[in-house]
Amino acid sequence: MDVVFLDYRKAFDSVPDKRLIEKLKTFGLNVQLVEWIAEFLRDRKMRVRVHGSFSNWAEVLSGVPQGSVLGLLLFLLFVNDMPSVIKSHILMFADDTKIWRTIKDETVSIQLQQDLHDMESWCQEWPLKLNPSKCKVMHIGHSVQTGYYVKEEALTRKLDKTTEEKDLWIYLDGLSRRHDGSPDHERWVRR
């Protein structure tokens, strides 16, 4: 199995307010509720406090408020249609996204790469940028280790491989194999 862990660049800050409101309208929400949310997002300002000192107020031009239940819900509604653009398995929790496929041969790896391209297209359409330096791939239980790529501006970047990844505060570990193909149980015992 190959699992790709995706990371977005400033995910919550990148959500464009007007496009979010347009998406909310397509869900068939009550018009008054959509207007209330639009008002909630309009004319926001923020400042930062460090050691008791405050920065100047700055206008917030995009994004959903972090640290609030409504901010998380609005982000989830914004990315709600993302799974429809790919054919691989996908799990999403807030801005944590994983896609994976069971690798039987090279054609399956090619399909997973195509899903990454489709995710990039979705991100381009709905201004949410992947952060390739933090996206990773984990190969679990097989020796065919295909490289996967995503675009970063005009460049194509190969995703870093990982054997361990923290996911929702749980460490996932790609099971090591000995040269004869049998599981390396000693690795689990050492933990």
Side-chain angles (χ1 to χ4, degrees), residues 28-182:
L29 297 174
N30 178 296
V31 175
Q32 291 172 319
L33 176 61
V34 174
E35 285 301 318
W36 180 83
I37 293 170
E39 186 61 33
F40 174 71
L41 296 173
R42 198 173 328 193
D43 298 326
R44 290 180 293 142
K45 296 184 187 301
M46 64 172 273
R47 66 180 180 169
V48 178
R49 182 176 78 165
V50 177
H51 300 294
S53 298
F54 289 93
S55 68
N56 293 329
W57 286 98
E59 188 176 354
V60 177
L61 302 174
S62 67
V64 294
Q66 294 182 44
S68 69
V69 174
L70 186 56
L72 177 59
L73 177 62
L74 292 174
F75 181 81
L76 292 174
L77 291 171
F78 184 73
V79 299
N80 186 57
D81 61 332
M82 185 187 292
S84 68
V85 302
I86 67 165
K87 295 176 178 68
S88 294
H89 300 282
I90 185 170
L91 280 177
M92 299 167 57
F93 181 80
D95 62 338
D96 291 322
T97 303
K98 294 158 282 310
I99 62 173
W100 74 93
R101 279 186 176 264
T102 301
I103 305 299
K104 297 177 183 173
D105 55 44
E106 187 179 339
T107 60
V108 180
S109 296
I110 292 168
Q111 292 167 341
L112 184 57
Q113 180 61 58
Q114 181 58 50
D115 283 335
L116 287 172
H117 292 313
D118 294 341
M119 291 278 298
E120 288 175 313
S121 295
W122 185 94
C123 287
Q124 201 167 28
E125 181 182 348
W126 298 100
L128 194 63
K129 293 182 180 180
L130 289 173
N131 187 355
S133 64
K134 291 186 177 180
C135 295
K136 298 201 171 46
V137 62
M138 180 184 289
H139 304 288
I140 302 174
H142 67 93
S143 60
V144 179
Q145 301 207 355
T146 304
Y148 296 98
Y149 301 85
V150 293
K151 290 185 179 162
E152 184 171 31
E153 296 173 15
L155 302 173
T156 300
R157 180 181 168 110
K158 186 175 182 179
L159 298 182
D160 292 333
K161 295 178 184 177
T162 184
T163 57
E164 181 177 89
E165 191 66 23
K166 185 178 177 183
D167 184 39
L168 302 176
W169 299 334
I170 296 172
Y171 284 93
L172 303 175
D173 189 344
L175 182 61
S176 298
R177 299 271 172 186
R178 295 185 178 144
H179 292 291
D180 66 359
S182 63

